[in-house]
């Protein structure tokens, strides 16, 4: 019986060590976790604030809409800025899918995120800051691909000045289309 009890104790110890090893391997060092999930600029929050500001101020813009070779230009007051800037608000640098794929480069007043990996839709984000370190100019490039279509977008936003959205879309059966919106704030 003595050998049985000792064997039982060895089994219990082995199980305890296995659980401890599993528990330790699943937990991460908080410092390491913070490094991996370092927050990038909150693009949706920035554009949400811009939408709220523009809704309050109600600026008049000179807007040109283009589809392929046709274009129309109007001076107007945008009623729904959330809808107007929706393409900008969908950009989120803090998506988990971007964590290890985007590279970050910066100078005194410019921050650039870029990726050459085909696994994500975002390829380039350039943010220019004013002297108060507030974002003022944005250039965003992304490509959305699936089995039915491919869309390439270039989004530009210049605070209190202008914005543009350029899209080239290639749809499997329908062919290629080009869309564009350019707007200049008149004040």
């Amino acid at each position: 019986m003595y050998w049985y009890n000792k064997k039982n104790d060895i089994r219990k110890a082995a199980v305890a060590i296995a659980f401890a090893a599993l528990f330790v391997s699943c937990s991460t060092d908080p410092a390491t976790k913070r490094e991996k999930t370092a927050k990038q600029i909150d693009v949706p929050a920035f554009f949400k604030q811009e939408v709220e500001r523009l809704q309050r101020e109600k600026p008049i813009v000179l807007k040109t809409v283009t589809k392929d070779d046709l274009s129309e230009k109007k001076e107007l007051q945008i009623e729904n800025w959330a809808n107007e800037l929706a393409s900008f608000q969908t950009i989120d640098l803090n998506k988990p899918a971007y964590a290890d794929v985007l590279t970050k480069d910066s100078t005194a007043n410019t921050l650039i995120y870029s990726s050459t990996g085909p696994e994500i839709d975002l390829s380039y984000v350039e943010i220019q800051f004013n002297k108060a370190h507030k974002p003022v100019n944005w250039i965003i490039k992304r490509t959305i691909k699936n089995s039915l279509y491919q869309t390439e977008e270039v989004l530009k936003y210049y605070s209190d000045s202008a914005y543009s959205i350029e899209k080239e879309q290639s749809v499997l059966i329908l062919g290629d289309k080009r869309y564009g919106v350019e707007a200049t704030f008149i004040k």
Side-chain angles (χ1 to χ4, degrees):
M1 276 268 238
Y2 173 74
W3 63 270
Y4 176 76
N5 287 338
K6 189 166 188 146
K7 202 175 199 182
N8 218 6
D9 287 344
I10 292 173
R11 284 187 188 146
K12 287 180 185 176
V15 170
I17 290 170
F19 275 119
L22 182 63
F23 180 73
V24 169
S25 70
C26 288
S27 66
T28 58
D29 179 15
T32 306
K33 192 172 183 179
R34 259 184 260 117
E35 275 181 28
K36 286 185 179 180
T37 59
K39 286 290 234 177
Q40 307 302 339
I41 289 181
D42 192 346
V43 180
F46 173 84
F47 282 103
K48 182 180 179 195
Q49 289 176 344
E50 285 295 286
V51 164
E52 291 168 357
R53 181 181 66 81
L54 293 167
Q55 284 294 136
R56 277 191 316 273
E57 294 177 3
K58 300 182 189 306
I60 296 175
V61 298
L62 179 61
K63 184 175 177 180
T64 305
V65 177
T66 306
K67 181 181 179 220
D68 296 324
D69 294 329
L70 303 172
S71 69
E72 183 179 345
K73 186 182 283 193
K74 281 187 179 179
E75 190 174 301
L76 54 101
Q77 191 172 37
I78 306 294
E79 295 294 323
N80 186 343
W81 280 101
N83 189 42
E84 191 72 12
L85 299 179
S87 292
F88 293 92
Q89 289 183 296
T90 62
I91 306 300
D92 186 358
L93 297 172
N94 292 303
K95 285 183 181 177
Y98 299 160
D100 297 325
V101 183
L102 290 177
T103 58
K104 184 176 169 181
D105 191 18
S106 64
T107 62
N109 67 341
T110 303
L111 181 59
I112 297 173
Y113 294 92
S114 59
S115 170
T116 55
E119 62 273 3
I120 65 169
D121 61 344
L122 201 58
S123 58
Y124 183 85
V125 176
E126 179 179 323
I127 308 162
Q128 295 177 351
F129 299 89
N130 62 14
K131 290 180 182 179
H133 202 66
K134 179 185 176 198
V136 290
N137 299 332
W138 298 77
I139 299 172
I140 301 166
K141 296 177 184 177
R142 71 179 182 173
T143 302
I144 302 166
K145 295 180 186 180
N146 66 33
S147 59
L148 298 176
Y149 69 89
Q150 175 176 327
T151 301
E152 293 186 22
E153 290 182 323
V154 178
L155 311 171
K156 297 178 182 176
Y157 185 81
Y158 305 99
S159 295
D160 295 327
S161 174
Y163 63 94
S164 67
I165 301 168
E166 299 169 16
K167 291 186 181 187
E168 289 187 26
Q169 191 171 55
S170 181
V171 181
L172 186 61
I173 296 173
L174 302 175
D176 298 342
K177 300 286 182 196
R178 293 179 54 124
Y179 305 94
V181 174
E182 287 185 34
T184 306
F185 293 90
I186 296 175
K187 305 263 181 195

